[in-house]
Amino acid sequence: MLWHELTVHTTEEAQEMISNLLYEAGAGGVSIEESGTLNKTRDTRYGELYDEPLNDIPEGEAVIKGYYAETVSMDDIIEELAPRVAELRGFGIDPGQALISWKTVDEDDWAHAWKQYFKPLRVSDRLTIKPTWEEYTPADSAEKIIELDPGMAFGTGTHPTTALCLRALEQHIQGGEEVIDVGTGSGILAVGAILLGAKSVLALDLDPVAVKSARENVALNRLQDKIAVKESDLLSLLGGGERALDTAAGEMWPSARPGHPLEPGAVSAGPGSEAGYGVTLPVKIVVANILAEIIVLFTDDVYRALQPGGIYITSGIYKDKEELVAKALVSSGFEIMEVSREEDWVAFTAGKR
């Protein structure tokens, strides 16, 4: 089967937003390749060795590819996509040159070829991410394995922001916590939280593709009784209803639509049920690995969703947005407990006073 491969040369800062735009334009799959320069500071504490550049993409840039059925008019897709990419500047996101091109490729050239580069990865003292098609034997009984097939959703664990969030969860989960994962993507953080000892997780995402992928990965890890995956956002969960569509986040994510509201203090029908949410508000931990521009829009909502003394772990923050997010957290009443960095990405751990 033949597909049209659309390529956007952009910045690492804009990669998640442009990926979302490609999906909303009908892409059947998206791949992201960041700069592989050796100038980046890389985390080698778990034995990774970087002795040569991974690619020739300039530092700070990224190449994003979207795949469309052969019957789709690529002229129409580009006509729709180009102005929306340019509009990102109005939200403070620099898309760089944003050069767009396309060609026709065979399905086997993209649908499975990337899997040869996705190997078992030790991301923390206790967590290893293992793709389903790879064999792997844990080093010891303390090592927890996240079985993962990311499909078309963001979150393989190889991205610095995912690893930063998993390490923060490992540091702060003591056992028995209820957790909300906002923008769950592949569900990797939700699965990791349970393996680290959390009691239950409510995993939220506005992207139906991500919701499907997360549910599949939850099932792969046999955690359906502890993780509920819902197509919703935090504002809707807290009773925001239709107001979610009127926010700046709604403008940036046209696919956003409110889910079922859950008032603070309500108890779910059970974590494994379709109607149940699996947690009782307020919760002990909220984790969100999404764009900084979205993070700053709902810090007040996260504060409402947390118990006093609760923990908010958030990443997806490019280095030039660190101050923006820090100010939003403090303005909402959070105390910043820790700031972690890897390559050009930042993660915050903040506490509710």
Side-chain angles (χ1 to χ4, degrees), residues 16-311:
E16 293 180 48
M17 183 59 74
I18 290 179
S19 297
N20 186 72
L21 293 177
L22 292 177
Y23 278 128
E24 292 194 338
V30 170
S31 69
I32 301 172
E33 189 174 13
E34 296 181 341
S35 171
T37 174
L38 288 178
N39 292 329
K40 287 185 175 181
T41 301
R42 300 181 184 274
D43 190 332
T44 59
R45 78 183 80 175
Y46 304 108
E48 297 92 336
L49 175 64
Y50 303 96
D51 56 1
E52 60 182 33
L54 299 177
N55 55 49
D56 58 1
I57 299 172
E59 190 168 354
E61 297 184 14
V63 175
I64 304 176
K65 296 179 180 180
Y67 296 88
Y68 297 83
E70 188 182 11
T71 55
V72 172
S73 168
M74 296 309 295
D75 289 338
D76 291 344
I77 295 294
I78 293 173
E79 184 178 356
E80 172 189 349
L81 182 66
R84 296 189 67 190
V85 171
E87 287 171 0
L88 294 179
R89 290 188 171 86
F91 294 102
I93 302 172
D94 178 16
Q97 299 181 63
L99 300 176
I100 302 175
S101 61
W102 69 276
K103 65 180 181 180
T104 301
V105 298
D106 188 87
E107 182 175 42
D108 288 340
D109 291 341
W110 69 272
H112 302 291
W114 65 274
K115 291 185 176 182
Q116 65 181 303
Y117 303 107
F118 184 20
K119 302 294 183 181
L121 177 67
R122 187 76 174 257
V123 292
S124 71
D125 290 336
R126 296 168 56 197
L127 291 174
T128 293
I129 301 163
K130 185 187 85 66
T132 54
W133 54 89
E134 289 283 335
E135 296 292 331
Y136 181 78
T137 302
D140 52 55
S141 59
E143 185 178 3
K144 306 297 183 182
I145 307 300
I146 301 175
E147 293 277 353
L148 191 69
D149 186 347
M152 294 189 296
F154 175 83
T156 62
T158 60
H159 195 276
T161 60
T162 310
L164 287 168
C165 286
L166 287 170
R167 291 169 196 154
L169 285 169
E170 181 172 299
Q171 181 179 350
H172 291 282
I173 290 177
Q174 303 299 312
E177 295 88 350
E178 292 184 333
V179 179
I180 297 177
D181 175 13
V182 182
T184 193
S186 65
I188 187 171
L189 299 183
V191 172
I194 293 297
L195 294 180
L196 290 168
K199 174 186 175 183
S200 58
V201 179
L202 171 59
L204 305 173
D205 207 297
L206 289 167
D207 184 352
V209 173
V211 170
K212 179 177 181 292
S213 177
R215 286 176 176 161
E216 290 172 350
N217 285 314
V218 168
L220 277 174
N221 289 274
R222 299 179 178 86
L223 295 176
Q224 301 97 312
D225 61 333
K226 295 185 177 181
I227 300 174
V229 182
K230 299 294 179 181
E231 186 178 337
S232 182
D233 62 8
L234 190 60
L235 179 60
S236 299
L237 180 75
L238 292 170
E242 295 297 331
R243 290 190 296 113
L245 295 177
D246 299 326
T247 64
E251 293 179 18
M252 293 181 72
W253 299 91
S255 63
R257 48 191 176 276
H260 304 287
L262 178 65
E263 295 296 337
V267 179
S268 76
S273 68
E274 185 61 28
Y277 286 84
V279 300
T280 302
L281 291 173
V283 298
K284 181 64 176 179
I285 297 175
V286 173
V287 60
N289 184 21
I290 53 181
L291 284 172
E293 291 77 11
I294 302 296
I295 291 169
V296 299
L297 298 176
F298 66 89
T299 51
D300 288 344
D301 298 318
V302 174
Y303 198 86
R304 290 172 56 203
L306 282 169
Q307 305 168 6
I311 301 295

